Amino acid sequence: MYSKRFEKEAFKEEVKNNIKNLYRKTIEEATGRQIFQAVSLAVKETIIDYWLATQAEMEKEDPKTVYYMSMEFLMGRALGNNLINMTAYKEVKEALDEMGIDLNAVEDEEPDPALGNGGLGRLAACFLDSLATLGYPAYGCGIRYRYGMFKQKIENGYQVEVPDNWLKDGNPFEIRRDEYAKEVRFGGDVRIEYDPVTKRNNFIQENYSSVLAVPYDMPIIGYGNHVVNTLRIWDAEAITDFHLDAFNRGDYRHAVEQENLAKMIVDVLYPCDDHYAGKELRLKQQYFFISASLQALLVRYKKKHDDVRKLHEKVTIQMNDTHPTLAVAELMHLLIDQEGLEWDEAWDVTTKTVAYTNHTIMAEALEKWPVDLFSRLLPRIYQIIQEIDRRFIEQVRSRYPGDEGRVARMAIIRDGQVKMAHLAIVAGYSVNGVARLHTEILKHEELKDFYDMMPEKFNNKTNGITQRRFLMHGNPLLADWVTKRIGDGWITDLSQMSRLKKYVDDPKALAEFREIKYQNKLRLAEYIKKYNGIEVDPRSIFDVQVKRLHEYKRQFLNILHVMYLYNQIKDHPEMYFYPRTFIFGAKAAAGYVRAKETIKLINSVADVINNDKSINGKIKVVFIEDYRVSNAEIIFAAADVSEQISTASKEASGTGNMKFMLNGAPTLGTMDGANVEIVEEVGIENAFIFGLSSDEVINFENNGGYNPADIYFNDWDIKRVVDQLIDGTYSNGDREMYRDLYDSLVNTHGQERADRYFILKDFRSYADAQKRVEEAYKDREGWAKKALMNVACCGKFSSDRTIQEYVDDIWHLDHIKVDA
Ligand code: CJB
């Protein structure tokens, strides 16, 4: 264990020296940020030894390795998590205490690296944690965006996006690896040249622009096992020799273009989640990191192996959604044009190496690139995709003669567009969804044609989350209590949580458990007071919905229900009502108008309700600014109710739902995504389920038959709430402010159906479920039992389980062992 080798005095000395050498200061003079840097560098010292040891082991054993390709890694802060996984958290805390430094405050100085939007990016981060913890060799490959997810400010109730310069003071954990830099080429033309010796055509890209991809490596530490994997994120620079040359040739414009390309390419993460914007720069980003990662991967492989035809024996590439699908064509390009393989040989290797994970069925998220843009930017890659498509269509035709409709539906290139999901499925040796229901919908609805033709590729891998960050780090009180009760095996084997079931009937254990939740609610209440200036009652029900703002996630339903409750309390002040704090946290993509209107609505409702003395604080509404990994940990720990209320069939899995469960908050949700499996584990009596089923939703979508006007005109409570959107109640008399939200419920807009997400349809059943929550919460011990059952039954939702399934069914990796 690291902790055994941890020497307190040496560590303290190191921190002091770092401050002296870096800043010419004493501890007393140093700023918080400087102390954070000094502590992190001291921690990195130890990490490096294990990082080297892991690399040496990989060099020696040559294990099969996964390259997890992702446009997003939503890592969150590293210091605390690294200390936890080094099993040195408590010792370092003690050492710093002795120096008069508070570790929590030091952790708060770390920028929260947000190189991801939401679920997909955070899943990638949890997967890296689990891979290292389980001792599997892995590289995460991504982009070192200068600006990650924006910081959210709320001004006058509106979201304002502020750039997050997370690298301003440097990132103490990263290491720049100039020696692995690679050139990435864009544009130009492809000249075909016949080589009489090899009797092959050579494809030569000319007149291109290029950038230099420079990798930065970050350590990914396994829990207590000394394994340190690598997250490799690529920065872009202008190729200096090249542009000097261009300057000399007088080609000034080209040189400047290349300089600009390098600056632009890694500048910013696209803030669209579950939505494809079709921007050329995004395609450049995708090719940039894929090409660099694959070039580096091949160099590494060839150090030990001389036959690239066997690449798949040592390497597997997982494509996190379609964003990295260019890996298919780039690998073909490198194998054919650089390594000299024949098409069939290259295809054989590629289709045994790449695998694809689908994360959504939302049509607007499907990546389709216009052919003209694509072929201009990536001429050789486009040729390769054309050839893949030509051969694939031949196969479809021979399998389904005469079925041209099917050919049209399945083609990779069609109607002037390149369909990335089709390319990923055709080339991938595995296609997986992220929860059982989602995978079934892929097989039988969205990807039915592909499933019919190649059922063997399809499989499910229900998502998971890491208990190291979301319980050990985020909720130390509960983590310690669990360890006291069942030992610490749960840290690397979450299924052991089931041993907590026996405490469900133990009043003393339940009382302790309840007290921990209360302490965590106090912590969140302080946070809310500090950052929102709102007093909330920690004895009220903390009812929480935190996630990206998206129509299908239905924050709108939640706030409409709050408006409905408020009407009820105003109408019947004498009515029994258990005090509730409705807590929201959500970022909206900068260009997503309706999502931003919803944020404004939540804040407006909060203003009206929180300032209405007549309701005696029975309802409070809080919108937490800048929801991100670091405050998420505090929020999950304090939640009583986990709102997972997406329109059934739309949320592929969800992972927030699992984090709430781990922290003892029962789910109030629809039968969507992984909620279905959560209910299966915890029992329906320990959750609050409502709403249309996914079959019902899909049936309405396909066959019609739902008219929200029927509800609007027949349910007076609902009509009243909906009308309040346009009667000025929440907009100081402005009847237009929420007109678009109102219209979205009751009026058809062009192609868009009214109430596309079935908010009015599910409203009553949601309100009933909320009533059941209130009833259940009144029984304090009964509630604690439900909450504890959620903790006890969360074992399945560890990303350790998910990763083990990927390894067993898809990747077939070798283990590594690193001795201390
Ligand atoms: N997801 O976060 C994203 N971004 C996308 O572009 C598409 C999907 C989410 O991925 C998560 C991880 O698999 C899922 O849990 C979530 O349901 C899905 O919306």
Side-chain angles (χ1 to χ4, degrees):
M1 289 284 153
Y2 295 85
S3 51
K4 291 217 183 88
R5 291 199 30 193
F6 178 80
E7 286 178 23
K8 204 197 275 180
E9 293 311 317
F11 176 82
K12 285 159 68 175
E13 209 42 43
E14 179 99 30
V15 172
K16 268 190 222 150
N17 275 332
N18 286 347
I19 288 181
K20 192 171 86 187
N21 296 332
L22 287 170
Y23 307 110
R24 210 207 57 187
K25 282 187 177 176
T26 61
I27 300 251
E28 292 69 31
E29 291 164 340
T31 65
R33 191 50 72 92
Q34 290 169 339
I35 292 176
F36 159 71
Q37 294 278 349
V39 170
S40 298
L41 287 178
V43 171
K44 188 169 156 193
E45 285 272 304
T46 320
I47 297 175
I48 298 277
D49 288 336
Y50 292 111
W51 208 354
L52 285 168
T54 305
Q55 287 306 311
E57 189 62 22
M58 284 173 71
E59 195 62 28
K60 188 165 110 233
E61 298 294 326
D62 191 25
K64 186 173 183 192
T65 301
V66 63
Y67 290 76
Y68 196 82
M69 303 285 179
S70 181
M71 289 288 278
E72 305 189 14
F73 287 93
L74 185 42
M75 300 302 291
R77 289 173 173 156
L79 176 60
N81 198 68
N82 286 346
L83 290 175
I84 286 207
N85 282 9
M86 293 161 76
T87 65
Y89 194 90
K90 285 186 178 153
E91 288 86 339
V92 166
K93 191 170 173 46
E94 223 175 82
L96 292 176
D97 272 346
E98 290 171 17
M99 299 169 80
I101 299 171
D102 171 13
L103 176 56
N104 276 330
V106 176
E107 286 186 58
D108 271 341
E109 289 290 338
E110 181 173 357
D112 198 335
L115 307 185
N117 276 287
L120 173 147
R122 184 55 229 177
L123 184 76
C126 285
F127 279 6
L128 294 183
D129 182 87
S130 288
L131 277 159
T133 296
L134 295 175
Y136 292 116
Y139 280 88
C141 302
I143 296 177
R144 185 172 176 271
Y145 302 103
R146 305 262 160 80
Y147 295 90
M149 194 57 206
F150 60 79
K151 276 202 177 309
Q152 180 192 55
K153 296 255 175 259
I154 299 296
E155 287 178 10
N156 188 27
Y158 289 101
Q159 166 176 296
V160 176
E161 302 91 29
V162 181
D164 175 24
N165 191 358
W166 71 290
L167 287 168
K168 184 160 54 73
D169 300 326
N171 171 5
F173 289 106
E174 71 184 10
I175 298 185
R176 183 184 160 103
R177 310 300 298 269
D178 282 291
E179 65 275 35
Y180 299 126
K182 296 282 175 278
E183 185 191 0
V184 178
R185 298 175 177 181
F186 297 94
D189 331 289
V190 180
R191 181 165 56 81
I192 304 179
E193 188 184 78
Y194 181 72
D195 181 341
V197 180
T198 58
K199 299 199 171 52
R200 282 171 46 124
N201 280 329
N202 289 330
F203 296 82
I204 299 150
Q205 195 174 352
E206 294 178 329
N207 305 319
Y208 51 83
S209 300
S210 57
V211 296
L212 190 68
V214 182
Y216 284 73
D217 287 353
M218 304 241 277
I220 305 294
I221 302 168
Y223 181 83
N225 65 355
H226 315 134
V227 171
V228 181
N229 280 331
T230 302
L231 168 60
R232 173 161 289 179
I233 48 180
W234 296 89
D235 188 20
E237 290 181 7
I239 295 187
T240 334
D241 300 349
F242 220 87
H243 83 229
L244 278 181
D245 193 39
F247 273 119
N248 293 340
R249 289 201 316 270
D251 190 357
Y252 178 75
R253 193 184 55 84
H254 192 233
V256 172
E257 262 173 26
Q258 296 209 139
E259 187 97 36
N260 285 341
L261 178 61
K263 275 203 202 100
M264 295 281 289
I265 213 159
V266 295
D267 196 49
V268 63
L269 164 77
Y270 274 87
C272 306
D273 191 58
D274 270 308
H275 187 88
Y276 148 79
K279 294 282 190 286
E280 176 166 347
L281 183 59
R282 170 84 169 182
L283 187 59
K284 284 183 185 159
Q285 291 183 335
Q286 295 183 350
Y287 186 65
F288 166 76
F289 97 97
I290 286 300
S291 176
S293 303
L294 289 185
Q295 291 182 56
L297 169 167
L298 275 184
V299 170
R300 183 164 175 272
Y301 173 81
K302 282 166 60 182
K303 276 208 309 213
K304 279 203 171 322
H305 306 273
D306 45 23
D307 188 357
V308 286
R309 289 172 195 81
K310 294 186 180 159
L311 182 71
H312 55 277
E313 291 177 5
K314 293 293 174 189
V315 166
T316 192
I317 295 172
Q318 190 69 33
M319 303 186 292
N320 197 24
D321 213 289
T322 54
H323 320 148
T325 302
L326 289 169
V328 171
E330 177 68 2
L331 187 55
M332 289 294 285
H333 158 61
L334 293 172
L335 293 173
I336 294 170
D337 299 338
Q338 179 183 298
E339 303 298 325
L341 263 52
E342 296 300 328
W343 180 278
D344 288 333
E345 294 173 319
W347 186 245
D348 181 62
V349 179
T350 300
T351 53
K352 285 177 178 158
T353 305
V354 302
Y356 159 58
T357 304
N358 175 292
H359 293 266
T360 180
I361 60 158
M362 301 292 291
E364 62 263 40
L366 290 183
E367 290 189 295
K368 298 177 199 137
W369 296 103
V371 162
D372 52 347
L373 162 75
F374 197 104
S375 57
R376 181 168 42 78
L377 188 67
L378 305 169
R380 177 64 182 134
I381 296 302
Y382 182 66
Q383 283 179 342
I384 289 171
I385 296 176
Q386 276 182 310
E387 182 60 13
I388 296 174
D389 187 40
R390 191 186 66 76
R391 290 171 181 240
F392 173 62
I393 284 175
E394 252 174 31
Q395 282 178 15
V396 180
R397 288 206 170 110
S398 84
R399 174 82 187 268
Y400 304 98
D403 193 347
E404 284 305 303
R406 191 181 291 261
V407 171
R409 292 198 302 273
M410 296 180 79
I412 298 169
I413 304 174
R414 199 76 186 186
D415 302 329
Q417 291 179 318
V418 187
K419 301 183 177 175
M420 301 309 273
H422 296 192
L423 178 60
I425 298 165
V426 170
Y429 68 90
S430 160
V431 176
N432 76 282
V434 290
R436 195 204 305 136
L437 174 67
H438 169 62
T439 302
E440 289 305 304
I441 294 174
L442 290 179
K443 290 190 329 199
H444 303 298
E445 307 278 337
E446 300 301 310
L447 302 178
K448 181 173 182 320
D449 292 325
F450 290 94
Y451 179 65
D452 283 351
M453 187 169 163
M454 34 192 127
E456 69 289 347
K457 288 188 182 185
F458 285 74
N459 63 93
N460 176 55
K461 296 287 164 283
T462 297
N463 284 164
I465 55 162
T466 169
Q467 65 268 33
R468 268 84 58 189
R469 182 178 287 273
F470 292 103
L471 194 63
M472 272 191 97
H473 188 258
N475 193 347
L477 294 178
L478 185 56
D480 287 347
W481 182 80
V482 172
T483 298
K484 187 179 90 185
R485 293 290 176 174
I486 63 168
D488 65 2
W490 62 273
I491 299 170
T492 51
D493 173 11
L494 200 64
S495 70
Q496 292 190 22
M497 286 294 206
S498 64
R499 289 159 57 190
L500 289 171
K501 282 183 194 162
K502 61 173 178 280
Y503 297 109
V504 162
D505 294 312
D506 176 338
K508 181 165 171 290
L510 281 183
E512 287 170 5
F513 178 73
R514 254 187 11 220
E515 175 60 20
I516 289 167
K517 181 61 83 181
Y518 184 71
Q519 290 302 324
N520 285 323
K521 288 170 78 173
L522 278 176
R523 181 173 68 157
L524 180 59
E526 275 164 27
Y527 180 94
I528 289 171
K529 175 81 186 134
K530 183 164 168 200
Y531 293 102
N532 289 68
I534 300 174
E535 299 265 3
V536 299
D537 179 356
R539 285 159 309 174
S540 66
I541 304 174
F542 277 17
D543 179 319
V544 187
Q545 187 173 21
V546 285
K547 50 181 76 246
R548 282 301 287 251
L549 202 312
H550 205 296
E551 285 165 277
Y552 83 79
K553 296 181 190 279
R554 300 200 295 192
Q555 284 93 349
F556 192 20
L557 171 60
N558 187 342
I559 198 69
L560 286 171
H561 175 257
V562 174
M563 290 158 62
Y564 156 84
L565 287 181
Y566 179 57
N567 289 340
Q568 288 212 315
I569 294 175
K570 296 287 277 183
D571 291 350
H572 308 285
E574 74 296 344
M575 177 185 87
Y576 177 85
F577 188 85
Y578 203 106
R580 268 244 211 169
T581 304
F582 291 95
I583 297 169
F584 294 83
K587 288 181 184 175
Y592 192 169
V593 174
R594 200 168 282 159
K596 293 175 99 172
E597 288 167 356
T598 308
I599 291 178
K600 172 66 178 164
L601 175 64
I602 294 168
N603 283 309
S604 299
V605 172
D607 270 352
V608 170
I609 295 183
N610 297 346
N611 292 311
D612 182 345
K613 299 254 173 340
S614 77
I615 63 163
N616 292 326
K618 284 180 184 160
I619 302 181
K620 285 275 170 77
V621 180
V622 178
F623 188 95
I624 293 182
E625 191 177 68
D626 203 33
Y627 174 59
R628 59 192 186 280
V629 178
S630 53
N631 60 19
E633 294 178 31
I634 298 171
I635 297 168
F636 292 127
D640 289 314
V641 178
S642 161
E643 296 256 10
Q644 308 300 335
I645 62 177
S646 53
T647 310
S649 80
K650 303 292 180 207
E651 188 69 271
S653 165
T655 44
N657 46 5
M658 302 168 185
K659 295 165 197 168
F660 281 105
M661 184 188 196
L662 173 69
N663 282 276
T667 302
L668 164 59
T670 48
M671 277 299 202
D672 198 15
N675 296 353
V676 176
E677 291 162 73
I678 287 179
V679 171
E680 188 172 284
E681 295 298 305
V682 77
I684 189 114
E685 67 286 5
N686 295 310
F688 301 88
I689 298 304
F690 73 95
L692 292 175
S693 69
S694 65
D695 284 343
E696 288 168 325
V697 168
I698 292 168
N699 189 35
F700 279 131
E701 286 180 337
N702 292 341
N703 307 318
Y706 169 52
N707 182 3
D710 294 342
I711 297 173
Y712 174 75
F713 288 112
N714 288 303
D715 186 323
W716 195 83
D717 289 331
I718 290 182
K719 182 167 188 306
R720 180 176 174 200
V721 165
V722 173
D723 287 348
Q724 282 172 337
L725 294 169
I726 52 162
D727 71 1
T729 307
Y730 294 102
S731 48
N732 291 319
D734 180 346
R735 291 165 179 266
E736 296 311 309
M737 187 178 280
Y738 299 117
R739 174 79 58 183
D740 175 59
L741 286 174
Y742 170 88
D743 279 346
S744 75
L745 293 175
V746 293
N747 290 326
T748 302
H749 294 57
Q751 292 288 70
E752 192 189 312
R753 280 181 292 102
D755 196 13
R756 188 173 160 200
Y757 294 103
F758 303 92
I759 287 175
L760 302 191
K761 185 79 184 159
D762 276 349
F763 189 93
R764 274 288 161 202
S765 131
Y766 178 56
D768 289 346
Q770 281 285 26
K771 199 79 205 146
R772 282 185 273 132
V773 167
E774 178 178 60
E775 283 305 310
Y777 200 87
K778 279 196 268 179
D779 169 8
R780 307 225 307 153
E781 186 151 319
W783 184 271
K785 285 183 188 186
K786 285 189 201 305
L788 182 54
M789 275 302 280
N790 272 272
V791 183
C793 298
C794 74
K796 175 174 177 184
F797 303 106
S798 169
S799 45
D800 299 343
R801 186 268 314 149
T802 314
I803 284 298
Q804 193 59 53
E805 289 180 8
Y806 274 91
V807 170
D808 293 343
D809 303 343
I810 307 178
W811 300 336
H812 307 293
L813 307 177
D814 298 314
H815 247 116
I816 40 173
K817 207 172 156 316
V818 177
D819 294 322

